[in-house]
Amino acid sequence: MIGSYSGKLLSALLRSCVRRPWPLIHGQILHANFLKVGFFPSHPSVSNALFHMYAAVGLPSEALLAFRHHVTSPTTLDFTALLSAYLRSSLPYETLRIFFFSHSNNSCPLPDGVTMTVVFTAAAKLTDLTSGILAHLIVVKRGVVLGVVARNSAMDMYVKCAAMVDARKMFDEIEESERSVVSWSVLLWGVLKWDGLICGKEVFDKMAMKNQVAWSLMASAYIENGLPKKAMEILTEMAGVSDDNLNHISVCSLLSACALVGDVTVVRWVHAYVVKVRMLVLNQEHDDWDNDASIMVGSSLIDVYAKCGRIEIARRLFEKMAVKNIVTWNTMLSGLALHGLVNETERLFSQMITNQIVPDDISFVGLLSAYSRSGHMKSDWKCFHKLMTDHGVTPKMEHYACIVDGLGRAGRLVEAEALVKEMPFRPNEVILGSLISSCCLYGKVEMGRRMMEELLHLDPHNTEYHILMSNMYASSGNQCKANNLRQGLKNRGFRKVPGVSYISIDRCIHRFSAGDKSHPQTPEVYAMLDEMIFRLSSATGYPTSPTTRDAEEEEREEALFSHSERLALAFGLISTKPGTPLHIFKNIRICRNCHAVIKLVSDLYQREITVRDRNRFHCFKLGFCSCLDYW
DNA sequence: ATAGGGTTAG
């Protein structure tokens, strides 16, 4: 029957498939019918349409097959469509491979600006400067003319690869009248990221046209640099000058910056904003709003509240959201896990199942990390394995990492190591690092040494675990080996990541490092610290001296008595009214000693203190911590 | 066939 149609009609039919709701099904039925009647290879226009159908619906390998077999003399447009299909399916590596391979083979048509845009974008995604430069050389050598869009994408490639000299050169080469708002925002992104806030602000001020992207980039940069007040100024300025309001992407970008630094100042403003402009609608009373955007913004808010220590607000928001997707559920799961709330995480997971939400691999990372962070390794790996495969999820390295961490921290090191040997991957640095920390915790020097050796093959420059190993040697009485490790690090010029704590008081973020004396209120802070230590030791007889010895002599004196979180805590106590809850943010894990001190302070000074460290939240109240001393 | 900021984990 199909044989009676003309080639023109069939190709039109195929092209129309791309725009239908189920393009693939219709297109494939047509494809199958062509094959059945032996019709299609002889008609170039039909086979070309078939290739474009597969490219457009995002099936790159099907498109490649059709391209190879049926597109006899590809045009630039065909070739570009093929590359773009790979890029849109998040396969930037394949995109580059096909481009360079065909190019070296002389089997591709001369690329144009659009082709190069796709190639530069792929190199940018991979931060592959070598490929980017190579592509640029091909442009020059073959005399390809680049329009402003292609130049912007090349600039973005240089920016993402930290090659700011080349990026600026490209920017300068674009005629001033040609420069688009995208040229400017690409430059702004790079300058903010690589040259810092001050230089970025200069670029921002030079921008004649500012849009959502520019405003939110600038505001996010202020947030990430601990200047939420400045971010608010930018946002209010935006509202006054521009009719361009924030869209859901700008909102997510701002909120993720807030999540990074753990400050809620801007979050509150954004929350009010999205409710006001009805970007976030909790109940479905109208259908004239953007469902996807609302879910995305809602999930983003849940995430940021959880990461800023406001888990109750996050939970309330989650419950109020009438429409959710898998990301919303996963965000809530990992938020609860971050706070060590195992039972709640478990409950939410079963609620997910009863609501017929199909959990994905990230849901399981959430659930498993709740177990590992709380030390509640109730079931063994076999049960989890079954649970996962029952829901169609294949266990990945991350899942093993959670279990290994949980077993190790619970002192079940033999089981942990057995699991590592049994898993179908070679352990990565996350897994080995977790085992080393557990060995440290339980003084298993010999096993720690073995793991360390394996880790050094993968990551010879790792500083963190050298320090851990050195501490382990020190506490097992082998001061000599400990010093050797430290000295080796020092000789190679590696330094320990310094611990930094932040506390937000009255919309300003105050930063403290260990032994820090740079804060304007340093005398008051240290006076408070002394008072704190005095009250603690007289009230409890608590020994405030270190339990693990720090081999670096100059650090030993000050470090433990003035760890950054204690300074932040002292500052918080003198800067707020009695009873005000305090939120502290720390870049590395909290140490046992400080943990003990903060527990006592929460009781003696009647304060709720929330500390976010690199691993999880600790909520201190009346002398107890929500982690129940397990982390 | 084409550029910039974006939610979940490790």
Side-chain angles (χ1 to χ4, degrees):
Chain A
M1 195 262 282
I2 268 200
S4 61
Y5 290 111
S6 75
K8 219 172 184 179
L9 179 61
L10 285 173
S11 65
L13 215 51
L14 265 176
R15 280 181 216 285
S16 77
C17 284
V18 174
R19 287 183 294 271
R20 303 239 153 239
W22 302 104
L24 196 57
I25 294 169
H26 293 140
Q28 273 184 328
I29 290 170
L30 280 173
H31 187 187
N33 279 313
F34 294 157
L35 293 176
K36 212 155 69 187
V37 297
F39 175 80
F40 114 107
S42 56
H43 274 253
S45 84
V46 176
S47 48
N48 196 279
L50 183 79
F51 155 70
H52 279 281
M53 187 270 296
Y54 280 124
V57 299
L59 277 180
S61 36
E62 302 290 327
L64 183 63
L65 265 178
F67 185 85
R68 279 208 185 125
H69 289 272
H70 308 306
V71 183
T72 40
S73 50
T75 62
T76 301
L77 197 144
D78 295 328
F79 188 57
T80 311
L82 179 68
L83 295 177
S84 135
Y86 273 93
L87 186 64
R88 267 185 298 119
S89 306
S90 314
L91 294 166
Y93 183 77
E94 311 300 316
T95 311
L96 293 181
R97 217 171 52 119
I98 293 170
F99 174 75
F100 287 120
F101 179 75
S102 318
H103 198 267
S104 63
N105 239 3
N106 274 332
S107 65
C108 77
L110 187 73
D112 66 1
V114 185
T115 321
M116 294 319 298
T117 305
V118 176
V119 173
F120 285 133
T121 308
K125 286 235 154 73
L126 294 166
T127 54
D128 179 354
L129 185 58
T130 313
S131 295
I133 290 173
L134 206 56
H136 206 166
L137 283 175
I138 289 173
V139 168
V140 177
K141 207 171 131 197
R142 302 197 63 174
V144 180
V145 181
L146 298 185
V148 68
V149 173
R151 283 161 189 263
N152 287 343
S153 71
M155 216 174 96
D156 185 50
M157 179 275 295
Y158 283 122
V159 159
K160 297 279 155 66
C161 297
M164 284 308 286
V165 175
D166 302 87
R168 278 206 189 256
K169 207 173 137 213
M170 290 231 66
F171 183 83
D172 293 337
E173 278 168 14
I174 309 174
E175 289 285 316
E176 219 175 304
S177 57
E178 281 275 302
R179 282 177 199 153
S180 67
V181 72
V182 178
S183 322
W184 278 98
S185 43
V186 168
L187 182 74
L188 179 62
W189 190 96
V191 174
L192 281 171
K193 166 102 182 168
W194 306 112
D195 304 336
L197 195 59
I198 312 268
C199 302
K201 183 63 164 55
E202 279 169 20
V203 174
F204 181 76
D205 288 337
K206 277 191 203 136
M207 289 178 75
M209 37 184 177
K210 297 182 175 102
N211 61 355
Q212 296 161 328
V213 180
W215 290 106
S216 61
L217 274 175
M218 198 61 228
S220 299
Y222 276 126
I223 297 168
E224 280 171 32
N225 283 279
L227 298 163
K229 254 186 177 165
K230 284 276 185 191
M232 299 290 288
E233 280 172 31
I234 289 285
L235 292 172
T236 37
E237 192 191 336
M238 176 200 71
V241 204
S242 158
D243 334 309
D244 233 357
N245 286 315
L246 296 176
N247 63 8
H248 65 282
I249 297 177
S250 317
V251 164
C252 289
S253 146
L254 289 169
L255 292 179
S256 88
C258 297
L260 208 63
V261 296
D263 180 69
V264 285
T265 315
V266 179
V267 178
R268 295 201 178 104
W269 185 89
V270 171
H271 193 163
Y273 175 87
V274 294
V275 170
K276 198 178 82 189
V277 303
R278 304 186 60 73
M279 192 189 290
L280 176 70
V281 177
L282 296 174
N283 41 13
Q284 303 164 276
E285 35 186 52
H286 298 292
D287 40 33
D288 62 330
W289 55 285
D290 187 343
N291 220 326
D292 290 344
S294 181
I295 296 178
M296 207 184 257
V297 165
S299 310
S300 212
L301 274 169
I302 292 172
D303 179 56
V304 72
Y305 277 124
K307 285 184 179 157
C308 290
R310 274 67 168 183
I311 190 69
E312 281 314 316
I313 304 182
R315 285 168 90 163
R316 253 178 285 146
L317 189 57
F318 178 82
E319 272 151 30
K320 279 190 193 157
M321 275 174 71
V323 194
K324 308 174 175 93
N325 65 11
I326 183 73
V327 177
T328 322
W329 285 87
N330 287 349
T331 306
M332 196 66 245
L333 276 176
S334 28
L336 293 170
L338 192 63
H339 287 260
L341 300 164
V342 211
N343 296 331
E344 282 84 347
T345 315
E346 263 186 333
R347 210 176 304 143
L348 192 71
F349 186 83
S350 14
Q351 209 181 315
M352 227 174 136
I353 306 296
T354 31
N355 286 19
Q356 311 214 319
I357 312 289
V358 181
D360 64 7
D361 48 344
I362 298 173
S363 321
F364 281 101
V365 173
L367 182 66
L368 293 176
S369 68
Y371 289 124
S372 74
R373 273 196 272 249
S374 61
H376 288 71
M377 296 304 298
K378 292 177 203 164
S379 328
D380 65 359
W381 172 239
K382 284 199 183 82
C383 299
F384 290 127
H385 196 282
K386 189 176 180 306
L387 187 62
M388 291 175 75
T389 43
D390 281 352
H391 287 97
V393 174
T394 317
K396 291 208 262 179
M397 186 81 90
E398 290 92 323
H399 303 112
Y400 282 96
C402 291
I403 308 275
V404 168
D405 194 58
L407 289 173
R409 290 191 171 271
R412 294 155 70 177
L413 279 155
V414 179
E415 286 167 77
E417 198 183 5
L419 184 59
V420 170
K421 291 218 170 98
E422 195 182 291
M423 64 181 196
F425 324 95
R426 287 196 61 157
N428 62 4
E429 51 270 52
V430 177
I431 291 202
L432 291 173
S434 142
L435 277 177
I436 294 171
S437 329
S438 303
C439 288
C440 266
L441 208 57
Y442 292 94
K444 304 280 184 205
V445 183
E446 175 46 32
M447 185 173 162
R449 196 194 50 76
R450 270 208 325 272
M451 297 299 136
M452 191 72 202
E453 248 169 43
E454 255 193 85
L455 180 70
L456 286 179
H457 288 299
L458 291 174
D459 184 6
H461 302 296
N462 189 301
T463 322
E464 205 181 333
Y465 297 113
H466 268 100
I467 309 249
L468 273 179
M469 265 316 278
S470 144
N471 286 347
M472 181 156 54
Y473 279 129
S475 53
S476 72
N478 199 337
Q479 196 62 44
C480 187
K481 277 202 167 174
N483 290 342
N484 277 347
L485 267 176
R486 287 266 181 169
Q487 200 54 48
L489 274 183
K490 241 185 179 171
N491 292 347
R492 282 183 289 157
F494 294 126
R495 276 201 62 77
K496 189 172 162 178
V497 180
V500 181
S501 292
Y502 304 87
I503 186 164
S504 175
I505 305 281
D506 194 24
R507 297 186 172 194
C508 277
I509 293 170
H510 301 261
R511 177 186 183 279
F512 295 91
S513 53
D516 199 343
K517 296 205 165 85
S518 62
H519 193 274
Q521 280 162 270
T522 292
E524 292 91 327
V525 170
Y526 277 82
M528 185 65 207
L529 194 62
D530 286 343
E531 191 211 296
M532 243 165 67
I533 302 291
F534 176 75
R535 276 186 65 178
L536 291 189
S537 42
S538 54
T540 63
Y542 178 78
T544 40
S545 65
T547 43
T548 51
R549 286 157 62 86
D550 204 329
E552 283 179 3
E553 304 292 330
E554 69 271 27
E555 280 178 12
R556 198 190 295 166
E557 187 70 23
E558 295 258 302
L560 264 148
F561 286 98
S562 52
H563 262 180
S564 61
E565 54 269 53
R566 299 192 192 190
L567 294 175
L569 179 58
F571 180 69
L573 288 174
I574 57 173
S575 320
T576 53
K577 289 193 199 103
T580 314
L582 298 174
H583 290 269
I584 294 170
F585 174 71
K586 187 171 188 200
N587 67 337
I588 54 177
R589 279 194 183 185
I590 190 169
C591 83
R592 288 218 168 253
N593 213 270
C594 290
H595 194 266
V597 168
I598 300 173
K599 275 202 293 186
L600 294 169
V601 168
S602 74
D603 194 27
L604 277 172
Y605 290 80
Q606 294 288 306
R607 297 276 191 137
E608 276 185 50
I609 303 158
T610 311
V611 180
R612 168 183 161 186
D613 76 1
R614 216 176 71 174
N615 188 239
R616 58 164 294 159
F617 272 99
H618 300 267
C619 300
F620 299 91
K621 196 177 176 181
L622 301 169
F624 291 94
C625 178
S626 61
C627 77
L628 299 172
D629 302 335
Y630 185 92
W631 75 91

